[in-house]
């Protein structure tokens, strides 16, 4: 807890784009803390479809639709633990979909604990119906002309399809 007694959590990610799975973790994570900060970041190993500002705006719009008064969206481009410390966080919230996620997240949690043992990592299992959803796959499906309505909100679908239109589909085989 912070000096004021407020429990603050950080849910970091690239959110490129934000999916129904992300929204589920946000909704559930918000119940665990007094304040949940959605940290929209960049990842040097990923090739984003949307700019940081576009992703922040998209996440803000989706969070507003969830009607959660204890959630805010903040962009960052820094080491996660430094960002969490600056936010006064006592917890990092991460979603898990599959064993492969766990292996990566477990290693990351261990590294983060080495950087700051006062900040705990909390894992939330993805809802069974949302487990296969990944932003990377949503983009790939859209780029090949597939239907993404089951994976993202209608507004995000429109954003993705508009971007695909500007980029050009990869094929229609």
């Amino acid at each position: 807890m912070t000096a004021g007694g407020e429990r603050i959590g950080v849910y970091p990610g690239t959110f490129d784009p934000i999916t129904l799975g992300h929204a589920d973790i946000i909704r559930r994570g918000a119940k665990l803390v007094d304040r949940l900060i959605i940290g929209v970041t960049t990842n040097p190993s990923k090739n984003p479809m949307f700019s940081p500002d576009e992703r922040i705006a998209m996440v803000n719009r989706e969070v507003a639709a969830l009607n959660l008064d204890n959630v805010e969206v903040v962009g960052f481009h820094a080491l996660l633990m430094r960002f969490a410390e600056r936010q006064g966080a006592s917890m990092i919230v991460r979603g898990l979909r599959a064993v492969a996620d766990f292996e990566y997240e477990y290693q990351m949690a261990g590294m983060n604990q080495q950087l700051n043992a006062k900040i705990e990592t909390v894992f939330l299992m993805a809802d069974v119906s949302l487990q296969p959803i990944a932003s990377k796959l949503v983009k790939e499906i859209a780029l090949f002309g597939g239907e993404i309505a089951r994976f993202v909100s209608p507004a995000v679908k429109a954003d993705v399809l508009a971007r695909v239109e500007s980029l050009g589909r990869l094929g229609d085989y």
Side-chain angles (χ1 to χ4, degrees), residues 32-62:
L32 302 176
V33 293
D34 299 309
R35 215 169 98 223
L36 182 63
I37 298 165
I38 310 305
V40 180
T41 190
T42 55
N43 184 334
S45 68
K46 294 184 179 181
N47 185 19
M49 178 177 271
F50 297 96
S51 72
D53 288 341
E54 289 171 322
R55 288 183 281 122
I56 290 166
M58 191 183 303
V59 174
N60 265 314
R61 182 189 65 220
E62 296 301 305

Side-chain angles (χ1 to χ4, degrees), residues 67-144:
N67 294 315
L68 300 170
D69 59 1
N70 67 330
V71 177
E72 66 180 284
V73 179
V74 177
F76 76 101
H77 183 70
L79 189 63
L80 172 58
M81 294 311 276
R82 287 195 186 131
F83 174 71
E85 289 164 356
R86 285 195 307 260
Q87 301 303 315
S90 60
M91 148 188 341
I92 304 294
V93 175
R94 300 297 294 156
L96 294 177
R97 293 172 301 195
V99 172
D101 282 351
F102 178 78
E103 291 173 3
Y104 171 79
E105 294 293 347
Y106 183 78
Q107 181 179 22
M108 191 66 99
M111 293 296 287
N112 286 338
Q113 185 181 39
Q114 294 294 315
L115 295 173
N116 186 334
K118 294 178 183 175
I119 300 176
E120 290 292 338
T121 300
V122 175
F123 298 112
L124 296 177
M125 298 301 297
D127 181 278
V128 173
S129 67
L130 303 172
Q131 283 179 358
I133 302 173
S135 294
K136 177 183 176 182
L137 297 177
V138 168
K139 291 184 289 190
E140 188 174 320
I141 290 166
L143 284 166
F144 280 99

